Amino acid sequence: MAEITRIDTYVLKVKSGAGSFYSSQEYFDERSSLLVRITSSDGTVGWGEGGQYGPPEPPAACIRDVLGPKLLGRDPTAPTAIFEELYSRTRDFGQKGAYVEALSAIDIALWDIFGKEVGRPVHALLGGAIRTRVRAYGTGCYYPPDYQDRPTMLAKLEEEVKRIRATGVGAVKMKIGLLPIKDDIERMRLVRTTLGEDVDIMVDANHAYTASAAIRIGRAMEELGFLWFEEPVVPEDRAGYRRLRAALDVPIAGGEAEFTRYGFRDLIGEGCVDIVQPDICACGGFTEWRNILALASAHNIMVVPHVWGSGVAVAAALQALAIVPRAPYTANPVPLQNETMIEFDRTYNPLRDDLVKQKFVIEDECLTIPTGPGLGVDVDEDAVARHTVRHERIG
Ligand code: CA
């Protein structure tokens, strides 16, 4: 039997330059992530990712100091058994956040190895593909650094939304929550006018509002026919989520700041969301993804994952999306009525575009799910080295 002989972590950072922007929460002038490379005694290598929301150093430290040493000598083709053990042995201090992000990266890398060992894609190991490609929506329409200059801000928004649409996506997600509600409604109207009635539009507030403020701007989304309202209130405000879901017709989405089957049991079970958005690189990898899919399916709600990372994160999301059941089943799946989508960030990010050798190409508004072994992509180790600011080795 092969065993795990080595774990490498790579903290990646790249400056955003002219592509810097604000969300409702903060200014992004660099993109960062944590990649994990696990090596098996037979030479097989698997890649995983975590730590792409906040600073990547804390999950890297969890792996270096706590989780990595426990992996040495283990069977790399037992990702679920390893997740169950490592989560259980860190739950007293690690139920959410850095530890689970670290576990997610490890889990993804182990499934990648497992797939390569048996010559099958991860989605085959998870039970088989329900779809071969998935509709992509483009994330962008943040705020430029000079967002207080209103004519320039609006001109840049119009230019950006056209650029995103031109990349081939059939749906666009815009950001709100940094400006007064009346100004963001003006931005929402501009995006609708620019894209026309045939393009789906979603809105993400990154938890900028109280429930009452969110209801006010949510009414405008209903009028404009937007397809979802993402993270309207802080993730801790479960009552606020429920209030919004009862008050508004626009579907309520959230979950990128939630972790593991336990967190999603509560978010879904308490009736907070119409569309749940776990991130494979944060929620607990493929192992917890599968558990969250079961919870969502049992509650008849849609799963549309949050994706915000390098090409490894995109590849993992595509594998994960292959197995999402229609919610509910119909003979003809309809995007965002019962059929899932992939979030495809359209902001400047070399980590997304350079790290894997295969390019993610949008065709007919869809990305194709790779069918090669493991994650189905090859990581460009030269590109990883180029963007690495800290490399550590265990074993
Ligand atoms: Ca979001």
Side-chain angles (χ1 to χ4, degrees):
M1 183 190 79
E3 59 181 59
I4 296 169
T5 54
R6 172 174 169 175
I7 303 110
D8 293 88
T9 61
Y10 304 86
V11 170
L12 308 173
K13 293 190 179 176
V14 56
K15 287 288 171 199
S16 302
S20 301
F21 55 78
Y22 278 93
S23 72
S24 73
Q25 301 300 305
E26 65 174 313
Y27 185 56
F28 288 83
D29 62 356
E30 76 174 13
R31 299 296 285 271
S32 58
S33 200
L34 170 70
L35 287 192
V36 176
R37 179 182 187 271
I38 299 182
T39 307
S40 163
S41 53
D42 64 6
T44 309
V45 164
W47 288 89
E49 181 165 358
Q52 76 278 44
Y53 294 4
E57 290 85 355
C62 293
I63 293 172
R64 180 192 64 219
D65 297 333
V66 181
L67 302 169
K70 293 180 175 37
L71 288 172
L72 296 173
R74 302 294 298 264
D75 175 3
T77 64
T80 297
I82 288 174
F83 182 93
E84 294 292 341
E85 180 191 322
L86 293 186
Y87 177 81
S88 299
R89 291 174 70 183
T90 53
R91 69 151 43 91
D92 285 356
F93 40 85
Q95 292 169 25
K96 295 179 193 278
Y99 272 99
V100 184
E101 289 185 70
L103 283 173
S104 304
I106 291 167
D107 185 81
I108 293 165
L110 294 178
W111 281 100
D112 189 26
I113 291 182
F114 189 6
K116 287 168 177 167
E117 296 275 7
V118 299
R120 300 284 283 148
V122 170
H123 65 252
L125 307 181
L126 295 172
I130 289 171
R131 58 190 60 74
T132 58
R133 58 185 203 161
V134 61
R135 194 160 179 252
Y137 77 81
T139 293
C141 302
Y142 287 78
Y143 298 85
D146 53 351
Y147 68 90
Q148 299 284 13
D149 174 354
R150 182 187 162 101
T152 308
M153 181 269 291
L154 291 172
K156 283 183 175 173
L157 178 63
E158 186 174 346
E159 185 187 322
E160 187 185 359
V161 79
K162 286 179 179 165
R163 183 185 60 76
I164 294 172
R165 172 70 168 139
T167 65
V169 295
V172 175
K173 187 168 83 185
M174 66 177 295
K175 294 286 175 167
I176 57 169
L178 189 65
L179 290 172
I181 283 174
K182 67 175 176 38
D183 296 331
D184 274 332
I185 290 177
E186 185 183 6
R187 291 174 65 252
M188 285 157 47
R189 286 193 199 287
L190 175 63
V191 171
R192 172 53 86 200
T193 307
T194 306
L195 291 175
E197 293 298 320
D198 293 337
V199 177
D200 294 329
I201 304 169
M202 296 84 95
V203 182
D204 186 358
N206 293 101
H207 49 74
Y209 302 121
T210 62
S212 60
I215 288 169
R216 259 196 298 148
I217 195 165
R219 300 262 186 253
M221 291 172 208
E222 290 174 336
E223 181 205 320
L224 291 164
F226 285 5
L227 271 191
W228 80 54
F229 185 0
E230 176 172 328
E231 286 206 295
V233 296
V234 293
E236 300 93 329
D237 184 8
R238 299 290 168 81
Y241 263 103
R242 286 196 300 274
R243 185 175 159 203
L244 281 168
R245 204 172 170 217
L248 295 173
D249 292 332
V250 61
I252 303 299
E256 68 182 72
E258 196 48 88
F259 300 86
T260 75
R261 76 196 78 164
Y262 306 106
F264 283 92
R265 172 196 61 195
D266 299 341
L267 185 74
I268 295 169
E270 291 172 20
C272 297
V273 288
D274 297 288
I275 296 162
V276 69
Q277 300 174 295
D279 188 310
I280 295 96
C281 301
C283 73
F286 293 113
T287 292
E288 287 301 75
W289 172 258
R290 198 160 48 171
N291 293 327
I292 295 161
L293 287 187
L295 285 162
S297 177
H299 285 84
N300 196 31
I301 65 167
M302 293 196 59
V303 182
V304 181
H306 174 261
V307 186
W308 179 259
S310 83
V312 174
V314 175
L318 285 167
Q319 293 298 322
L321 277 156
I323 66 159
V324 176
R326 291 173 204 163
Y329 179 84
T330 60
N332 176 43
V334 181
L336 283 188
Q337 189 169 302
N338 68 339
E339 173 68 350
T340 187
M341 294 180 83
I342 183 164
E343 175 168 22
F344 200 35
D345 169 26
R346 302 285 67 202
T347 62
Y348 173 74
N349 185 3
L351 300 181
R352 180 194 61 237
D353 297 333
D354 297 351
L355 287 194
V356 301
K357 291 178 182 168
Q358 295 82 355
K359 296 295 165 214
F360 300 106
V361 180
I362 301 172
E363 277 179 332
D364 299 334
E365 302 182 351
C366 293
L367 289 179
T368 298
I369 295 166
T371 53
L375 296 177
V377 294
D378 298 304
V379 172
D380 181 341
E381 301 216 18
D382 293 336
V384 173
R386 251 194 334 270
H387 298 305
T388 295
V389 298
R390 188 194 293 175
H391 169 220
E392 289 173 318
R393 173 178 175 171
I394 302 109

